[in-house]
Amino acid sequence: MNNSKVLVYTHRGSTGKKPLIPACSFEEATRRAEDLLSQMTLEERISMIGGSNSFYTTGIPRLGIPALYLSDATQGVHIRHELPGQMEKSTAFPSPVCLAASWNTDLAYAYAEAIGEECRAGDIAILLGPGMNIYRIAQNGRSFEYFGEDPFLVSRMIESYVKGMQSTGTIATLKHFLGNNTEYYRRWSNSVMDERAIHEIYTPAFKAGIDAGALALMCSYNQINGEYSAENRPVITGLLREQFGFKWLVMSDWWSIWNPAKAIASGLDLDMPGHTHENFLNDPRIGDVSLKNNAPALLAAGLVSESQINRMVLSILRTIVAAGLLDRPVKDVKFLERFDAHGEIALQCAREGIVLLTNRNAALPLENCGTVMLLGDQIKGIAGGNGAAAVEGFDTVSLRESLTAQFGQALFIGSIDDDEAISSAGAILYHCATCDSEAWDHPFNLPVDTQKNILRCCELNPRTIVIVSAGSGRDMSAWADKAAAIIYNWYPGQYGNIALTEILSGRSNPSGKLPITIERSFTDSPGFGYIPEGEELYSDWPNDMNKSRENYDIIYKEGIFVGYRWYEKRRIAPLFAFGHGLSYTGFTMSDLRLSDTIIGRNQLLTIHFRITNTSSRPGAETAQLYICDCKASVDRPHKELKGFTKTGLEPGQSRELTFTIGGQDLSFWDTARKSWITEPGEFRILIGNSSDNIILEQSFILR
Ligand code: BGC
């Protein structure tokens, strides 16, 4: 790696290269798929509707149909040492929530392109990501795998991600469809969601991924309004295929089918991994529920039809053809040469995604501060998330190593019991790291000792800087106003500690912005109360397969009011607002001008304004455009994000920026008409650098 810094990553890389996916049109893919289907025996067709082992589809060698390797996903390629032929290494990228915090769609493209290239190097045809479930509950164990709380931000990141991934020839899988917003007994939860919330909050990112050309989608573990996702015909056939126009591969999440006949009728194509988990197989209440083992008897009994099986196989084949996988090998070892370039992307993503939450009396950057004492967790390693998302990385740089390289002798590792050393250090860096995972949720609170230690450092040393590595918001209320500075570091990948050190020392200027709201107390959250009364959080895997557990409902009672929409409506001040993030640089925004003050229904509105770096450091700012519908026939949020742009500016530099909005940006989902509608009236344009810091405002009228 050359470590050369750019303020804001802008697309260079493969611009101009023809994306490898789609390799042909839907019609052409259908023709070839039909031809293959017509040559297959019933037995062969049935074999294809389930995986051939945990991470492979079933191939039909006599017809040249390959068995394809599907692999996770979230923060880079998860190498499965138990499987043969694995790559030696893969890059550990920052987690997607950190990527989202960069608010940089070019970076999302590059991040996904890099992972797509590593998939090609590792013979992986289908990446089991990106994940895009909306952040509703801070306790969700998988928030680090997703892109935050706002459907507009998530959608823009996802469409770039899908294009970047598929440009390399690796299929992107949109997951987990739908309503998988907690991991608490995820196989036994029923997400009770209303239609407006589904359309306005929980599906726009899926729709954006579909429109960007994603060739695969994964269902979720939970039920949606009473039916398991992979068995849910209204959701798969109705919503996904008919309303959103998704024409490609739909797979189950691993071991999430209970009723084979329902799953076959739902619009699903592929049962993964294809065999029943032994925990369920040996349970008389469940037994063998794999689609391919059940299909012959279901066909014989007339409970499913051959045309249903054919539809599934056709969809799988069509996807393989459209990805070009009948005509080229998956594996391309030339991508093994690209690891350095991928490391650069991982580092840049951490630089742009790490968020400076507070910085009192310009405690940061640490310039000429004397000694620096390091305390807390993960001093020797890197903080990361677990489960299918786990990625080991290589050449990882620990916090201790990167800080030593920066501060040399001035850095020392201290003991929390050493009051004298804590008080006399030039600065304290307290690192707290969580390890979130799928299959269980985690408490909003940090461990009691961590909280005590941070408070103790803050009392003893006014220059205490707290670094939080976590996949979601955590309770910082007790010390947020006592720490000199707080950095939200997420899980920043194998070079994240380099990026963090650059920020601490002032060699990089932070520019990350929260893609989530961090509440003061979990009781403030729209999701509070999702755990059935009398039950408690658990950790570790066994409960994930707890068969004796009753199903329980999660009522999305807040409807569309998720994230800042909720806190603003309820007038609850969060600890840190959505979109918040500081820089070492000052910026101004000025000269707001709209192209019109009255627009027609099909007219676009252009919004111009100026942004200026008023200080003596280069820096980057993300301008955020929110729109407020001043009066509507339904309850609408105070404001909704409808545009953002991240700009790097040299000292004193000024730039004119432009947003363009149209009817869709003003609309809401009308449950009576079952469509998006706009209502005439007054709207306000709000531009700021955070959802709670609006700097420019102007109204216009929609005729
Ligand atoms: C996860 C999926 C993952 C799959 C395969 C499941 O436990 O929910 O996101 O892709 O395993 O590893």
Side-chain angles (χ1 to χ4, degrees):
M1 288 201 309
N2 66 27
N3 274 11
S4 63
K5 286 201 290 286
V6 287
L7 280 172
V8 178
Y9 180 89
T10 47
H11 206 282
R12 297 167 298 197
S14 40
T15 315
K17 263 201 282 161
K18 186 175 179 305
L20 288 178
I21 291 178
C24 63
S25 67
F26 175 80
E27 291 70 25
E28 156 108 43
T30 304
R31 266 194 301 277
R32 282 184 72 185
E34 279 172 348
D35 181 47
L36 285 167
L37 188 76
S38 68
Q39 301 174 54
M40 290 167 73
T41 64
L42 178 60
E43 210 173 36
E44 284 171 334
R45 280 175 275 148
I46 290 176
S47 74
M48 278 199 79
I49 65 174
S52 63
N53 80 25
S54 292
F55 292 97
Y56 281 85
T57 61
T58 304
I60 310 289
R62 79 173 179 92
L63 295 173
I65 301 169
L68 299 172
Y69 180 22
L70 314 92
S71 175
D72 290 289
T74 297
Q75 316 169 107
V77 172
H78 178 142
I79 294 185
R80 299 202 178 260
H81 298 289
E82 71 280 12
L83 298 178
Q86 296 284 299
M87 276 189 298
E88 271 173 32
K89 61 179 185 184
S90 66
T91 306
F93 290 85
S95 52
V97 71
C98 178
L99 175 60
S102 75
W103 293 57
N104 183 342
T105 53
D106 280 359
L107 197 52
Y109 184 102
Y111 175 108
E113 181 184 44
I115 298 176
E117 288 183 349
E118 294 196 11
C119 289
R120 294 294 309 279
D123 207 20
I124 296 158
I126 303 177
L127 183 88
L128 298 171
M132 62 198 69
N133 296 92
I134 290 288
Y135 182 94
R136 174 175 184 263
I137 297 172
Q139 296 192 160
N140 179 6
R142 282 192 108 158
S143 301
F144 71 102
E145 299 194 45
Y146 306 143
F147 288 78
E149 73 185 31
D150 181 78
F152 184 86
L153 174 61
V154 185
S155 298
R156 301 294 75 81
M157 298 304 277
I158 289 299
E159 65 199 6
S160 282
Y161 189 116
V162 167
K163 287 180 188 156
M165 170 71 47
Q166 295 198 157
S167 72
T168 67
T170 303
I171 295 177
T173 305
L174 311 175
K175 75 182 186 185
H176 308 86
F177 198 69
L178 179 65
N180 185 187
N181 307 95
T182 158
E183 291 295 287
Y184 183 76
Y185 288 113
R186 57 185 176 171
R187 284 186 168 81
W188 324 104
S189 63
N190 174 32
S191 297
V192 182
M193 312 166 84
D194 68 57
E195 200 184 310
R196 245 188 104 191
I198 288 177
H199 284 276
E200 293 188 28
I201 305 294
Y202 295 101
T203 56
F206 287 97
K207 178 74 169 70
I210 293 167
D211 293 345
L215 286 193
L217 176 137
M218 190 192 291
C219 297
S220 55
Y221 281 117
N222 51 284
Q223 299 185 334
I224 303 117
N225 295 331
E227 290 284 6
Y228 277 105
S229 167
E231 301 171 4
N232 200 321
R233 193 171 162 80
V235 164
I236 302 181
T237 297
L239 187 63
L240 178 68
R241 295 209 188 268
E242 291 172 2
Q243 284 196 46
F244 296 165
F246 186 67
K247 302 182 200 146
W248 310 104
L249 174 67
V250 178
M251 69 183 86
S252 68
D253 200 344
W254 271 231
W255 300 295
S256 67
I257 290 171
W258 309 100
N259 182 328
K262 267 192 179 175
I264 288 170
S266 70
L268 179 90
D269 304 321
L270 178 64
D271 169 17
M272 284 308 292
H275 60 271
T276 306
H277 194 280
E278 60 185 22
N279 283 22
F280 303 135
L281 197 59
N282 299 326
D283 185 325
R285 290 164 303 177
I286 303 172
D288 188 345
V289 281
S290 85
L291 295 198
K292 48 186 181 182
N293 288 350
N294 280 278
L298 290 171
L299 281 167
L303 293 171
V304 301
S305 66
E306 202 171 323
S307 66
Q308 287 175 319
I309 305 288
N310 289 348
R311 191 211 55 74
M312 296 170 85
V313 180
L314 187 68
S315 181
I316 297 169
L317 291 171
R318 187 193 281 133
T319 303
I320 297 175
V321 177
L325 297 175
L326 292 187
D327 306 316
R328 62 169 169 87
V330 174
K331 187 165 182 156
D332 189 342
V333 291
K334 79 167 181 277
F335 291 117
L336 291 171
E337 315 276 299
R338 297 272 301 150
F339 279 90
D340 274 3
H342 300 166
E344 290 291 346
I345 299 293
L347 175 58
Q348 183 66 16
C349 180
R351 282 187 188 124
E352 292 196 39
I354 291 174
V355 184
L356 177 63
L357 289 178
T358 62
N359 192 17
R360 283 172 326 132
N361 307 321
L364 289 175
L366 291 174
E367 285 158 346
N368 308 319
C369 67
T371 56
V372 177
M373 181 180 190
L374 178 58
L375 287 167
D377 315 316
Q378 280 293 2
I379 287 169
K380 292 189 185 141
I382 58 165
N386 238 324
V391 182
E392 288 162 40
F394 60 93
D395 292 348
T396 53
V397 180
S398 71
L399 192 50
R400 178 190 201 146
E401 286 161 346
S402 64
L403 289 172
T404 306
Q406 174 68 37
F407 297 106
Q409 297 290 322
L411 182 87
F412 68 103
I413 312 288
S415 153
I416 191 66
D417 301 318
D418 191 344
D419 284 8
E420 173 54 37
I422 295 175
S423 327
S424 60
I428 305 292
L429 296 180
Y430 193 98
H431 183 232
C432 57
T434 65
C435 181
D436 302 354
S437 175
E438 69 169 301
W440 61 90
D441 284 357
H442 52 71
F444 182 60
N445 295 341
L446 288 165
V448 175
D449 279 351
T450 304
Q451 312 226 44
K452 264 199 335 224
N453 294 346
I454 294 174
L455 276 169
R456 178 189 178 89
C457 290
C458 293
E459 270 156 30
L460 291 170
N461 191 318
R463 204 163 183 184
T464 294
I465 289 120
V466 184
I467 300 148
V468 183
S469 291
S472 58
R474 291 298 208 278
D475 185 2
M476 298 179 280
S477 305
W479 46 267
D481 59 352
K482 299 191 170 64
I486 306 174
I487 295 186
Y488 230 64
N489 193 41
W490 314 108
Y491 298 140
Q494 65 187 46
Y495 302 133
N497 288 319
I498 300 177
L500 173 65
T501 303
E502 286 176 359
I503 287 173
L504 289 167
S505 66
R507 283 191 293 126
S508 279
N509 195 348
S511 64
K513 300 273 180 184
L514 288 179
I516 57 173
T517 305
I518 303 184
E519 57 268 48
R520 286 178 187 276
S521 153
F522 189 56
T523 53
D524 294 343
S525 157
F528 177 69
Y530 72 105
I531 292 187
E533 239 179 275
E535 295 190 16
E536 279 184 14
L537 288 177
Y538 60 87
S539 64
D540 228 331
W541 291 88
N543 286 304
D544 194 37
M545 297 270 175
N546 180 344
K547 306 174 298 278
S548 52
R549 154 94 233 181
E550 299 267 296
N551 281 1
Y552 76 101
D553 287 344
I554 302 175
I555 316 273
Y556 287 48
K557 54 188 182 320
E558 73 288 350
I560 60 161
F561 295 97
V562 179
Y564 62 91
R565 290 163 169 79
W566 166 263
Y567 295 98
E568 291 184 353
K569 180 178 167 57
R570 303 292 294 250
R571 302 197 187 282
I572 301 170
L575 189 59
F576 296 110
F578 172 82
H580 169 76
L582 303 175
S583 160
Y584 299 146
T585 305
F587 299 94
T588 56
M589 292 181 190
S590 59
D591 302 336
L592 174 62
R593 278 161 296 121
L594 308 189
S595 57
D596 290 283
T597 46
I598 302 179
I599 60 165
R601 203 171 277 267
N602 298 317
Q603 207 180 324
L604 296 177
L605 179 75
T606 312
I607 301 155
H608 301 278
F609 63 105
R610 181 159 285 283
I611 181 163
T612 307
N613 178 346
T614 54
S615 58
S616 55
R617 271 177 203 272
E621 180 62 301
T622 299
Q624 301 163 34
L625 164 71
Y626 296 87
I627 298 183
C628 160
D629 185 350
C630 300
K631 191 159 179 272
S633 62
V634 295
D635 207 3
R636 297 202 70 183
H638 287 194
K639 60 177 175 305
E640 295 184 277
L641 184 75
K642 294 296 171 188
F644 60 90
T645 177
K646 185 169 188 174
T647 316
L649 293 166
E650 294 301 322
Q653 194 187 354
S654 182
R655 232 185 238 167
E656 171 105 353
L657 298 179
T658 304
F659 288 119
T660 303
I661 56 159
Q664 180 62 29
D665 299 307
L666 311 176
S667 62
F668 61 87
W669 182 260
D670 182 336
T671 47
R673 284 182 238 182
K674 305 235 171 287
S675 68
W676 292 94
I677 64 156
T678 44
E679 286 180 342
E682 183 185 353
F683 290 83
R684 284 192 82 67
I685 294 291
L686 311 165
I687 296 176
N689 60 5
S690 158
S691 65
D692 68 347
N693 191 30
I694 298 304
I695 300 164
L696 304 170
E697 280 195 54
Q698 207 170 310
S699 294
F700 69 94
I701 304 288
L702 176 73
R703 256 189 285 130

